[in-house]
Amino acid sequence: MKEFASSSPSIGSATGVTLSGNPAVLNAEEYGSAPSSQGRTGFPKASGQSLSYWLQQVRSDPLLDHRTTEQLPEQADTVIVGSGISGTLIAKHHLETWPERSVVVLEAREFCSGATGRNAGHCKPDQWRHFAKFEKAYGHEQAIQIMNNEAATWRALVSYVKENNVDCDLWVGDTYDVPLDDDVAKIAKECFERYRDLGGKVDHIKVTHDPVKAARISRIKNAKACYSWNASTLQPWKLTAHIMRENLKNGVNLQTYTLAKSIAADSSGSRKWLVNTDRGDVACDTVVHATNAYSAALEPSLKGVITPKPHICNKVVPPRAMSGSKAIQNSYGVLLPDGGLFSINPRCTADGVVMFGGSNSGQKQLDRWVEDHPEHCINDGLARIESITECVREFVENNLEGWKEAEIGPGEGFDYSWSGIIGLSADGVPFVGELPGKPGQFICAGHHGHGMARIFTAAPGLVKVMNGEPWEETGLPEVYKMTPERLKRLRSATEEAPKVAIV
Ligand SMILES: Cc1cc2nc3c(=O)[nH]c(=O)nc-3n(C[C@H](O)[C@H](O)[C@H](O)COP(=O)(O)OP(=O)(O)OC[C@H]3O[C@@H](n4cnc5c(N)ncnc54)[C@H](O)[C@@H]3O)c2cc1C
């Protein structure tokens, strides 16, 4: 661990992410992974999606409705369902591993129009914050592995973008985690120090517990502490599109606007599986479910195991008083007293527009509404949800110097918000591996609001599993592995699964 300047005082051992007699929670809410209507699921919404800022930027890109062949192929060695960052990266590693095998990618709507094309554009490796939660659920060695895997994922993503000159507005710089009150700061400090004391790597993290210094460094008035390490922001659709274009050059057949409706054994015996779509059947030997939030609609054994939830991202054009040399230059996780979070991506290398994601109290209100209206669990047609925007407005006015007084002219300010669908995993970590009882069907899904810090290693990891390599070769934490035991445990109503939410 590095200090911003002078050293911090030491503190006693941590007990977790809540402390007795302390009402605060460190951003790790149970509710996120335990919706009461757990059986809810659905296929991607067929029409009426709101357009994210990323999708608005690429309206003339022919990849959006690309079909490599006019007709849906009748056969392929492998069918990958889903063209988000998971499906697209799995196709890439599949081609590298088996260049001779044919691959069809099915996408229900426009290319990459699921969570990847609608997220907040932050690739922020968790480097300590959820350690205590993961430790409680899985023990400290797995929890440390999860933190290490997130760092490795971020490095892999940045290397790929740099080595391939990908035009995706990549920013690499200091991200700040900033607790906004004393109670959260105390829990955060205990969590961080417990992680360090149990062998977690912290030498790349700069910390100050001095509120004055934290406010100066972070520019957040009510900061009580500041933790800083390297992270990235990017335009996620453009990154995914770059990888898919390479895949197409290497022989992938992409079929957009093609919904996979069910999968059955191929009774003709020519192949193992028959993927039934709204445009006909594709027979294949291998199926990959890269369907994230929608996984249980296609694979019913995942009902209650992967649950969809709409999540909102706000786009804000900073006022002139907060632009130019005064523009925000870092990304953030702002830790709120009620366990909520603002995830902030200011697009420093691009247009300076600021994205606000995370789980503020307005988002919680939306979550409760979806509990009562489960038919909206896959509604990515939501836009301009005022209760959530209001929380962001209140935060910036109270915390960012100059914002409250700033004149907001036409074209500035709170511009737009949209929804995307998060895939909650019932035990808080993704599923990577073969589907139990379905030889030749594989899955990489359940990434919560955090897939950008997981999938760049989860996707190649899955391809290694498909290649018969031992799990250790994937480099992924053991708890990410899809196993019959894990699925059975999570499906069992009597056995309580450990719940860890990352939103
Ligand atoms: C508002 C919001 C903000 C977020 N912010 C961040 C962030 O800042 N940082 C971060 O790390 N993560 C964030 N996330 C989460 C992140 O976007 C996801 O974890 C990640 O994109 C998941 O990628 P994926 O490829 O697995 O899923 P997706 O991108 O959802 O791709 C799945 C695709 O499968 C298609 N599909 C599904 N079922 C079928 C079917 N039956 N037939 C055909 N096609 C099908 C879908 O249409 C979709 O395109 C956010 C998510 C949301 C919604």
Side-chain angles (χ1 to χ4, degrees):
M1 175 183 91
K2 290 177 198 153
E3 288 299 319
F4 278 108
S6 56
S7 65
S8 62
S10 65
I11 195 165
S13 67
T15 54
V17 286
T18 53
L19 300 175
S20 58
N22 181 340
V25 194
L26 179 62
N27 169 45
E29 298 186 276
E30 302 289 358
Y31 85 92
S33 63
S36 57
S37 44
Q38 276 204 339
R40 74 191 191 200
T41 188
F43 285 106
K45 185 175 155 65
S47 62
Q49 281 189 291
S50 46
L51 279 185
S52 67
Y53 185 47
W54 318 123
L55 287 163
Q56 285 176 341
Q57 292 178 325
V58 295
R59 298 320 298 158
S60 61
D61 196 312
L63 198 56
L64 284 172
D65 57 352
H66 177 92
R67 282 181 180 170
T68 305
T69 51
E70 202 177 314
Q71 299 299 320
L72 185 69
E74 288 177 4
Q75 297 214 26
D77 291 316
T78 298
V79 170
I80 297 173
V81 188
S83 71
I85 189 75
S86 293
T88 300
L89 273 172
I90 290 162
K92 170 186 186 292
H93 292 282
H94 189 292
L95 285 165
E96 286 167 6
T97 309
W98 303 286
E100 72 290 358
R101 291 193 194 168
S102 56
V103 178
V104 170
V105 176
L106 303 178
E107 170 52 54
R109 306 170 298 185
E110 288 185 332
F111 169 73
C112 191
S113 57
T116 307
R118 319 175 69 77
N119 67 29
H122 211 171
C123 178
K124 173 161 176 157
D126 186 349
Q127 290 299 268
W128 61 276
R129 200 202 301 154
H130 289 94
F131 170 73
K133 289 296 288 190
F134 287 124
E135 185 198 6
K136 212 156 118 192
Y138 302 117
H140 80 271
E141 283 175 8
Q142 282 298 306
I144 288 176
Q145 264 204 44
I146 292 173
M147 303 293 112
N148 289 345
N149 172 254
E150 299 227 350
T153 307
W154 170 72
R155 285 195 298 271
L157 183 150
V158 171
S159 304
Y160 178 84
V161 172
K162 289 190 170 167
E163 281 163 21
N164 295 282
N165 282 323
V166 182
D167 168 19
C168 66
D169 305 337
L170 181 76
W171 169 83
V172 176
D174 283 342
T175 189
Y176 295 146
D177 260 12
V178 178
L180 266 204
D181 88 349
D182 290 329
D183 285 340
V184 182
K186 188 166 182 228
I187 302 170
K189 188 168 191 289
E190 294 213 0
C191 178
F192 179 85
E193 292 181 356
R194 180 164 176 79
Y195 176 55
R196 180 197 60 197
D197 295 346
L198 285 170
K201 187 174 165 349
V202 294
D203 53 0
H204 59 304
I205 306 178
K206 288 177 271 181
V207 184
T208 180
H209 299 294
D210 173 353
V212 174
K213 209 184 286 173
R216 181 174 46 73
I217 294 162
S218 69
R219 297 173 64 188
I220 291 184
K221 264 193 246 173
N222 295 307
K224 299 295 182 246
C226 184
Y227 300 75
S228 166
W229 64 100
N230 264 199
S232 288
T233 65
L234 69 150
Q235 213 285 23
W237 192 93
K238 286 190 178 174
L239 170 61
T240 312
H242 178 99
I243 302 166
M244 183 53 87
R245 282 194 195 96
E246 294 301 307
N247 289 343
L248 294 175
K249 280 187 216 156
N250 292 324
V252 158
N253 186 316
L254 168 65
Q255 295 287 328
T256 60
Y257 287 102
T258 306
L259 175 72
K261 296 197 296 187
S262 60
I263 301 169
D266 181 7
S267 55
S268 77
S270 71
R271 296 276 192 172
K272 271 196 207 139
W273 299 107
L274 202 60
V275 181
N276 172 249
T277 83
D278 53 357
R279 295 175 55 223
D281 293 341
V282 192
C284 62
D285 292 324
T286 304
V287 179
V288 179
H289 297 250
T291 42
N292 200 33
Y294 309 97
S295 297
L298 189 59
E299 175 47 53
S301 69
L302 297 172
K303 269 195 189 159
V305 175
I306 298 181
T307 305
K309 175 174 101 89
H311 208 73
I312 301 291
C313 182
N314 262 275
K315 171 196 167 213
V316 184
V317 181
R320 274 156 291 166
M322 304 291 293
S323 301
S325 60
K326 298 190 195 67
I328 302 170
Q329 299 295 345
N330 299 86
S331 79
Y332 295 84
V334 178
L335 315 180
L336 308 174
D338 64 353
L341 166 88
F342 287 111
S343 167
I344 308 177
N345 157 17
R347 288 179 50 74
C348 307
T349 52
D351 51 18
V353 162
V354 187
M355 302 296 170
F356 286 85
S359 54
N360 64 37
S361 55
Q363 176 69 48
K364 287 186 208 174
Q365 224 176 307
L366 176 66
D367 294 346
R368 283 193 294 272
W369 180 78
V370 174
E371 289 291 307
D372 294 337
H373 301 86
E375 68 278 13
H376 283 280
C377 69
I378 44 87
N379 189 350
D380 51 10
L382 302 171
R384 299 194 167 90
I385 304 292
E386 192 46 38
S387 52
I388 297 177
T389 303
E390 200 41 50
C391 292
V392 182
R393 198 190 318 270
E394 196 186 310
F395 167 75
V396 295
E397 288 184 354
N398 290 332
N399 282 284
L400 296 181
E401 203 74 61
W403 200 299
K404 196 170 190 169
E405 303 73 34
E407 183 196 15
I408 310 281
E412 294 169 83
F414 289 79
D415 194 43
Y416 180 55
S417 72
W418 64 85
S419 61
I421 310 301
I422 279 177
L424 300 172
S425 136
D427 58 4
V429 287
F431 297 90
V432 179
E434 193 165 36
L435 275 176
K438 306 269 166 87
Q441 289 196 39
F442 296 86
I443 185 163
C444 175
H447 299 291
H448 284 249
H450 204 56
M452 302 309 286
R454 290 178 171 168
I455 297 167
F456 248 80
T457 53
L462 178 72
V463 175
K464 287 196 160 118
V465 173
M466 291 164 69
N467 197 28
E469 295 176 46
W471 181 262
E472 301 69 56
E473 292 299 313
T474 67
L476 299 172
E478 189 74 24
V479 292
Y480 288 10
K481 190 174 177 181
M482 173 56 109
T483 64
E485 298 72 34
R486 182 177 172 202
L487 186 60
K488 191 168 164 217
R489 177 165 44 83
L490 295 175
R491 280 176 61 79
S492 143
T494 49
E495 231 175 313
E496 184 74 358
K499 295 177 184 117
V500 183
I502 312 296
V503 176

